[in-house]
Amino acid sequence: MYGYHGKILFIDLTSRRTWAEEKPESWYQTYIGGVSMATRLLWENIEPGCDPLSPKNPICIANGIFAGTPVPVGAKYGLASKSPLTGFVGDSLSGSWFSVALRRTGWDGIVLHGASEAWVNVLVDDGRVQFRQADKYLGLGTFATEEAIREDLLDDQVRSATIGPAGEHGVRFANVTNDGRQAGRTGHGAVWGAKKLKALSVRGTHGVRVADPDTLMKLSFDIIESAQGPHTAKYRLLGTATNVLNMNTLGLLPTRNYQEGVFEEAELVSGEYLEEHHKVKKIACAQCPIACEQVSAAKQGLYVDAMTGIEYECLFANGPNCGISDMNAVIKMIDICDRGGMDAMSNGVTVSWAMECFERGVLTKEDFRCAKYPEGFAPTFGNAEAGVTLSEMIRDREGIGALLSMGTKLASEQIDRERGTESRNWAMHIKGLENPGYDARGLKTFALGLAVGTRGGCHNRTAAYDPDIKGEVDRFSIDASRGVLAKRTEEYAAVYDTLPLCKFIRRCFSGKADRAGAWPAIQALINATTGWAFTYEDIDLIGERAHTIKKAFNIREGWTRDADRLNYRWHHEPMTRGPSAGHVVTEEELETLKDLYYQAKGWTADGLIPKSKLLELGMDDVAEAIGV
Amino acid sequence: MVTSTSRYKYITCDPEKCIGCQLCEYICSYTKTGEYNSYRSRIRTVRVDEILITAVACRTCENAPCVMVCTRDALSQDQESGIIRLDKDRCDGCAWCIEACDFGAISINPMTKLAEICDQCEDEEAGPQCVLWCPKDALELTTPDQRAQRARRKLATEEALR
């Protein structure tokens, strides 16, 4: 088999036993790699219904088929566990040097069972597995932990995926981080922390053999050249932060906990402002010719020690969405998240929920007592120091930070139970995952994509905002086309997440990002790597299968149609200003959209998957387990 | 800091331009071994302190220390190009050359136990493959004097425009 090593490593953290499992080629052809293979490993290795923070929730890692080859943006791996935020599938991607080093170890994936008694750093060193004591790394930030492990082993070929203090403390939206990149969103850091796994390190000497290296080299070279041109200019020049002004113009920039879609000080937190005043260096993941990571530093004031990569999603969440326009403070908040090892989007949206709670009197100054401010403080929207302090309190689970560290869903439910309030109405999450930086009241296809998302409120798993923003459909109303659009865009994203390839390369194959523009090149890359004879239709199937295994996992964990819902605010409270003012997604609209979507997917009216559909996809054992 | 005083060309990396993508490593290992394995690359990317990134290959030192310390006369330097050549029959993988190199530019192949050093792809028609593939044009094959000349020209332009 080309493009794979053909074996998966299993590690039991409780007994410290390790074993290997070989999978047939048909298994690899069905699940490929990345989030799809990681979720399949999760499907095979979890006890349904288990507590996500118990030893029964395994950590499942699946590398990409292009990791360690010159295929641009192909150094990525998938990570799956049951999410402690949503109770459904927690599937994440991270990339860069770790993925390449993992490839060299000779394993296609790693599954970690159980939980360690003492804090541990697992080192996979080619075929050997070492359990290293990790007590001395406790409290270290993510990047610092990686560096410390390299220094201890005197080898900078060792790459590590780590958790920071947030994961150690059990913040439910803690991340796993490697090489400055995050496997984010769904709380992997909390799962690792519960297992006392501080870091997973990899070091290897094996090369990658592909079926047709000459073709692969030529394809890669052309894509790399194309990636220096206009198709990636957005990412190379200003990075995703350029979206701040774009979204503001459309009235979709979440402001003050999604109360509005226009931020009056957007210029001060824009990609343009960041470039001029804070930019330090543009960095790439391994294997990437684009270099989108805009490393930026605070330049004055209280937070001059802060420096990290700034993306739009982190920027909107901790900036406009908290009413904060001081870029130095926003960089500091994101720095706290990145070094502390927690999700900067969930952090910003949780802080903004707390700020609204304060402004509405649900939480009071006394609720915000901490070591730094023993009398408490007043976290009004726009209070930059409050944003920074709350981020630190969440990371350390200090004072009210312990409540906020559970995310907006669990935090609002607890406060409402204790105080008889209705703070859940402004808890901006879907299925427990905090929402992204596009207000769905003005993007109705995207509203559907988010509501039915297997991961919760995530912009990365559905590109359904695309037809809305490009004007291919009317973004303020619904029609019969939206079900198919939501299906296509989520399965399109799933193809990239499975190989995985970074989506920022999507226009570089032919100038067009649609299936007709991208699939022929992706097909050629897969076939040159593996020697398989995948057709155009097979590429579609990669996406459909990847999405289906995630949905199947959720069904087995108790998903029902009712779980595909939006947050209260998007249903009932229109924005008052800007081009998207006056709109909501009504409950009737959403139910109609869901009908259209389930139909487009070939599912039942209840959103369940027919046995026949699963058999058609070659997922026989899944059909047996959850098919109807 | 030790620097090469070479009159020879060698591959350098502009850390301002380098993004840390490692593509040079894949291309090098493929060109030299036929498989993708950055562990076997003769040019190595380095990233320290998060934002300091560069790539390092043989700097073709004059009176190259690696050649001088080799106890088995396995290494020699081409007088025309400065490229360090290895006599496979003589090398026994003792690693003295690695100790002697101030740039960390030599490695021992874990399989063959032979020293491996950048030869600027002298057998390739298109020249060094890493230079060809570098997406940011951070790598180049030049002499220190050529780079100094360019620096002077750049300075002259900037001062004239001031």
Side-chain angles (χ1 to χ4, degrees), chain A residues 209-479:
Chain A
R209 283 189 327 134
V210 302
D212 181 354
D214 289 340
T215 303
L216 197 68
M217 294 295 272
K218 179 162 184 349
L219 291 167
S220 301
F221 194 88
D222 291 347
I223 301 167
I224 289 169
E225 276 211 320
S226 162
Q228 304 310 311
H231 304 315
T232 61
K234 170 182 169 181
Y235 306 118
R236 282 185 288 118
L237 303 178
L238 296 182
T240 53
T242 185
N243 279 350
V244 171
L245 293 185
N246 297 341
M247 290 304 125
N248 204 45
T249 305
L250 293 167
L252 299 171
L253 176 67
T255 301
R256 295 186 184 83
N257 199 32
Y258 297 81
Q259 294 187 71
E260 296 293 344
V262 179
F263 185 46
E264 57 285 356
E265 296 178 293
E267 298 272 346
L268 294 177
V269 285
S270 65
E272 290 75 1
Y273 188 94
L274 189 74
E275 176 73 20
E276 198 182 330
H277 299 283
H278 297 279
K279 200 64 61 68
V280 177
K281 169 98 181 160
K282 295 166 203 271
I283 289 181
C285 288
Q287 237 166 289
C288 169
I290 302 173
C292 73
E293 190 180 337
Q294 312 284 326
V295 178
S296 308
K299 286 291 161 73
Q300 58 198 18
L302 289 170
Y303 313 120
V304 283
D305 58 331
M307 180 184 77
T308 191
I310 304 293
E311 306 288 340
Y312 167 70
E313 292 293 337
C314 314
L315 188 48
F316 104 81
N318 297 280
N321 199 45
C322 293
I324 296 173
S325 59
D326 174 1
M327 190 69 100
N328 294 297
V330 177
I331 293 172
K332 178 66 179 176
M333 289 170 77
I334 299 170
D335 176 281
I336 291 166
C337 294
D338 288 351
R339 286 173 206 282
M342 58 186 188
D343 191 84
M345 292 170 69
S346 285
N347 181 68
V349 176
T350 305
V351 168
S352 69
W353 172 80
M355 286 176 161
E356 187 163 350
C357 285
F358 178 78
E359 297 214 338
R360 287 169 177 264
V362 171
L363 297 173
T364 61
K365 192 178 164 191
E366 290 69 42
D367 287 315
F368 294 92
R369 291 194 181 112
C370 59
K372 200 161 147 195
Y373 300 104
E375 308 292 309
F377 57 91
T380 50
F381 283 117
N383 182 341
E385 169 64 6
V388 169
T389 305
L390 278 171
S391 303
E392 289 167 342
M393 290 170 72
I394 292 172
R395 177 196 62 200
D396 299 334
R397 299 188 79 223
E398 181 194 359
I400 198 161
L403 175 85
L404 300 178
S405 77
M406 299 193 297
T408 48
K409 178 172 189 278
L410 294 177
S412 64
E413 284 171 4
Q414 183 175 323
I415 283 290
D416 291 350
R417 214 166 34 239
E418 288 172 6
R419 306 191 180 183
T421 50
E422 293 188 328
S423 70
R424 61 190 175 279
N425 290 351
W426 60 88
M428 297 304 294
H429 67 83
I430 293 170
K431 294 190 176 78
L433 182 66
E434 285 69 26
N435 287 339
Y438 309 86
D439 200 300
R441 281 167 292 194
L443 299 168
K444 293 210 169 158
T445 319
F446 188 48
L448 171 61
L450 285 178
V452 300
T454 51
R455 199 191 197 197
C458 173
H459 65 292
N460 239 316
R461 298 289 181 265
T462 169
Y465 49 79
D466 222 39
D468 287 330
I469 289 176
K470 285 193 181 136
E472 288 162 14
V473 295
D474 174 27
R475 66 186 176 99
F476 296 115
S477 64
I478 68 166
D479 60 56

Side-chain angles (χ1 to χ4, degrees), chain A residues 68 70 97 100 104 143 157 179 205 207-208 213-214 217 221 228 236 281 283-284 286-291 339, chain B residues 15-16 18-23 26-27 30 35-39 44-47 50-51 53 132-133 135-136:
Chain A
W97 299 27
V100 178
R104 290 204 310 264
F143 202 92
Q157 296 283 342
D179 310 297
T205 57
V208 185
D214 289 340
M217 294 295 272
F221 194 88
Q228 304 310 311
R236 282 185 288 118
K281 169 98 181 160
I283 289 181
Q287 237 166 289
C288 169
I290 302 173
R339 286 173 206 282
Chain B
E16 293 277 307
C18 179
I19 55 171
C21 70
Q22 288 184 307
L23 279 164
Y26 305 124
I27 302 316
Y30 176 71
E35 63 172 22
Y36 306 114
N37 185 348
S38 41
Y39 200 70
R44 292 290 177 90
T45 48
V46 193
R47 181 176 176 186
E50 301 175 53
I51 52 167
I53 305 173
L132 182 70
W133 279 69
K136 299 298 177 192

Side-chain angles (χ1 to χ4, degrees), chain A residues 32-163:
Chain A
I32 312 285
V35 296
S36 181
M37 190 197 288
T39 306
R40 173 67 205 194
L41 287 169
L42 180 64
W43 168 270
E44 291 176 13
N45 286 284
I46 197 172
E47 200 170 295
C50 76
D51 175 354
L53 298 179
S54 76
K56 289 176 181 161
N57 186 16
I59 296 166
C60 303
I61 294 171
N63 216 346
I65 56 171
F66 302 131
T69 74
V71 174
V73 304
K76 288 180 98 69
Y77 66 95
L79 178 57
S81 288
K82 183 173 171 179
S83 167
L85 269 184
T86 69
F88 291 126
V89 64
D91 56 304
S92 293
L93 281 171
S94 181
S96 210
W97 299 27
F98 178 88
S99 181
V100 178
L102 171 61
R103 177 52 90 94
R104 290 204 310 264
T105 62
W107 302 101
D108 296 323
I110 303 176
V111 176
L112 295 111
H113 280 289
S116 178
E117 223 170 275
W119 284 98
V120 67
N121 163 217
V122 173
L123 169 65
V124 177
D125 197 355
D126 275 340
R128 297 175 301 278
V129 178
Q130 285 179 45
F131 298 86
R132 304 181 65 245
Q133 283 190 7
D135 285 339
K136 62 175 165 178
Y137 305 130
L138 292 184
L140 285 184
T142 51
F143 202 92
T145 305
E146 284 181 49
E147 282 290 287
I149 293 169
R150 276 193 284 273
E151 274 173 31
D152 284 347
L153 295 170
L154 292 171
D155 188 354
D156 64 6
Q157 296 283 342
V158 177
R159 313 310 301 191
S160 303
T162 71
I163 60 169

